[in-house]
Amino acid sequence: MNRRRRIYEGKAKILYEGPEPGTLVQHFKDDATAFNAKKKDVIEGKGVLNNRISEHIFNNLNAIGVPTHFIRRLNMREQLIREVEIIPLEVVVRNVAAGSLSQRLGLDEGTQLPRSIIEFYYKNDELNDPMVSEEHITAFGWAAPQEIDDIMSLAIRINDFLTGLFLGCGIRLIDFKIEFGRLYENDMLRIVLADEISPDSCRLWDIGSDEKLDKDRFRRDMGGLVEAYTEVARRLGIMSENEPLPARGPVLVK
Ligand code: UDP
């Protein structure tokens, strides 16, 4: 598994060289980080769940014609993806106030927004991923105006699709973060969805109880993260009721 050349290691994933030119293998780790990696832990089973949930979502997005980097899942922790040039932006789509938006504008968490809002953050850990506007993005050349248009229309389609997908299984999509890349295909350049979509990158609340089924359980020391992610996977129909929690290592019996 780890004999391949490592191209890049991030906080929750590793990218390895793929089997063919233009492909990479995306490996999901169990590492959890928050607040720009000031808070860290290893949560056994998280990587396996995110791999499966992200596979399900990317397959569905590919099926409705949203271009993505995803090719297929390879095993419990890895997926085959197309190599893209990552645009250095975190694109956040919000439907309901929470997290940094609530703090910034003094909105109660859970307040429905008048419409969906798209925000851009510059991907730079040293600077703590600062929020930026389209003006910054074009002035500094991180993306061209046409690319920003493509990103915004894809983000809206993805939001509409995900909102319906989660609503169908009793989950309210509060907000999420996505990343895009440039894919070069026969002299053509296309913007495609990259990275992952999982409970690590979304806020997901149970419709009935507002229970959090996402990474806020880790950020806010609530516990039960693997159980919450498993619940999301079960509701999406990815794992059957009886399937055991994934990737539990051997248990020491005393
Ligand atoms: N998010 C993410 N990675 C980041 C920052 C945010 O996946 O580095 C997601 C986060 O899980 C939430 C959404 O983007 O679903 C909006 O996050 P917010 O700006 O409220 O920041 P936070 O409160 O998480 O710091």
Side-chain angles (χ1 to χ4, degrees):
M1 179 171 66
N2 295 334
R3 273 164 280 127
R4 285 177 298 240
R5 195 160 68 90
R6 185 185 308 210
I7 305 282
Y8 171 82
E9 177 150 8
K11 294 183 208 112
K13 293 189 294 294
I14 307 173
L15 294 178
Y16 294 102
E17 196 172 54
E20 289 159 34
T23 65
L24 296 175
V25 172
Q26 178 165 258
H27 176 105
F28 288 76
K29 299 191 281 185
D30 281 339
D31 300 38
T33 63
F35 314 116
N36 200 6
K38 284 197 243 341
K39 182 181 169 84
K40 281 189 213 174
D41 204 352
V42 175
I43 300 180
E44 210 179 303
K46 180 175 81 76
V48 173
L49 284 155
N50 282 347
N51 186 23
R52 294 283 290 270
I53 293 170
S54 198
E55 170 200 18
H56 181 75
I57 291 173
F58 275 65
N59 267 332
N60 277 288
L61 288 169
N62 280 336
I64 62 160
V66 171
T68 84
H69 72 162
F70 182 82
I71 302 172
R72 65 172 187 278
R73 183 166 64 85
L74 295 172
N75 56 48
M76 294 282 273
R77 287 188 182 273
E78 295 181 329
Q79 39 186 250
L80 185 66
I81 59 169
R82 272 179 230 291
E83 185 172 21
V84 300
E85 183 183 290
I86 288 289
I87 293 173
L89 297 174
E90 300 203 335
V91 180
V92 169
V93 183
R94 302 178 181 276
N95 301 304
V96 176
S100 70
L101 179 74
S102 287
Q103 283 176 8
R104 217 166 39 237
L105 301 185
L107 298 167
D108 284 340
E109 286 209 314
T111 310
Q112 189 73 39
L113 299 173
R115 63 172 174 81
S116 302
I117 294 172
I118 301 177
E119 296 171 346
F120 298 105
Y121 295 84
Y122 177 46
K123 256 172 84 75
N124 185 318
D125 283 341
E126 276 167 38
L127 300 175
N128 258 321
D129 296 344
M131 186 154 86
V132 292
S133 72
E134 290 182 48
E135 282 284 286
H136 300 103
I137 296 168
T138 50
F140 293 113
W142 299 323
Q146 180 59 51
E147 291 179 323
I148 300 179
D149 287 352
D150 291 351
I151 285 171
M152 290 188 71
S153 56
L154 285 172
I156 292 164
R157 285 184 71 196
I158 294 164
N159 184 45
D160 288 347
F161 175 77
L162 289 181
T163 299
L165 179 78
F166 284 119
L167 203 55
C169 56
I171 293 173
R172 195 168 168 213
L173 177 64
I174 305 300
D175 57 32
F176 61 96
K177 184 266 299 181
I178 43 182
E179 294 182 26
F180 292 90
R182 296 183 185 98
L183 182 65
Y184 295 88
E185 256 177 349
N186 323 315
D187 289 343
M188 279 267 296
L189 199 156
R190 269 206 304 170
I191 298 288
V192 304
L193 178 67
D195 195 47
E196 69 176 302
I197 298 182
S198 73
D200 265 10
S201 56
C202 301
R203 284 197 170 92
L204 304 169
W205 294 4
D206 177 73
I207 289 256
S209 64
D210 280 350
E211 190 193 351
K212 294 184 199 318
L213 302 172
D214 57 56
K215 200 167 118 181
D216 272 347
R217 300 202 74 89
F218 171 72
R219 292 190 191 98
R220 302 179 188 191
D221 291 320
M222 300 165 78
L225 181 131
V226 164
E227 291 75 8
Y229 286 26
T230 304
E231 178 62 17
V232 172
R234 286 206 172 125
R235 289 198 198 181
L236 289 172
I238 298 168
M239 288 158 80
S240 70
E241 285 298 317
N242 300 324
E243 202 170 329
L245 290 178
R248 286 266 172 253
V251 176
L252 181 63
V253 180
K254 288 187 187 149

